[in-house]
Amino acid sequence: QVQLVESGGAVVQPGASLRLSCAASGLTFSDYAMGWFRQAPGKEREFVAAITISGIRANYAESVEGRFSLSRDNTKNTVYPQMNSLEPEDTGDYLCAATRGARSIRQRDYQYWGQGTQVTVSS
């Protein structure tokens, strides 16, 4: 059974940093590109970032470019979004997802999803 478990969400002030984690089990992690999405209250889920199987390349939504960075450790079956200079607009439920295909910004390309971890940015 495939499981993706996110952690690290918190309530922080604007300008703070957070590092989330997504631990995968039940799959061969090094066969999957990983993505992160977020959903704010009352809004549709949106793409945040994705990383290749090797971890060499990542792409980001324009709204987080330059503030977020994504890395993975294939020995630990874990992917890490580092989020810096957080803004209130970054508030939402952050979900990781796995795909056997190439990294993608489209939700429908991902086969497995985690349950999410909540990030709240508020003063």
Side-chain angles (χ1 to χ4, degrees):
Q1 180 181 0
V2 175
Q3 283 193 312
L4 302 178
V5 180
E6 302 92 337
S7 62
V11 178
V12 298
Q13 293 189 338
S17 296
L18 268 181
R19 188 193 195 206
L20 306 182
S21 298
C22 172
S25 61
L27 52 72
T28 303
F29 187 67
S30 56
D31 286 346
Y32 288 79
M34 300 297 292
W36 279 84
F37 294 79
R38 68 186 180 189
Q39 187 162 18
K43 295 187 177 181
E44 293 187 355
R45 188 178 296 176
E46 64 176 0
F47 170 77
V48 176
I51 192 166
T52 57
I53 288 172
S54 67
I56 292 176
R57 292 184 177 84
N59 58 302
Y60 303 90
E62 187 176 338
S63 59
V64 307
E65 183 81 53
R67 299 187 297 120
F68 289 15
S69 64
L70 196 56
S71 62
R72 64 188 291 164
D73 185 340
N74 286 349
T75 67
K76 297 181 178 179
N77 291 0
T78 304
V79 60
Y80 305 98
Q82 174 67 43
M83 308 188 298
N84 299 326
S85 302
L86 284 162
E87 303 168 352
E89 292 74 21
D90 295 317
T91 293
D93 193 28
Y94 282 72
L95 304 97
C96 71
T99 177
R100 281 295 298 264
R103 59 185 164 134
S104 174
I105 66 172
R106 298 183 300 224
Q107 298 179 51
R108 66 175 183 266
D109 290 336
Y110 290 83
Q111 293 83 49
Y112 302 107
W113 290 82
Q115 294 298 308
T117 186
Q118 180 67 35
V119 173
T120 301
V121 185
S122 175
S123 55

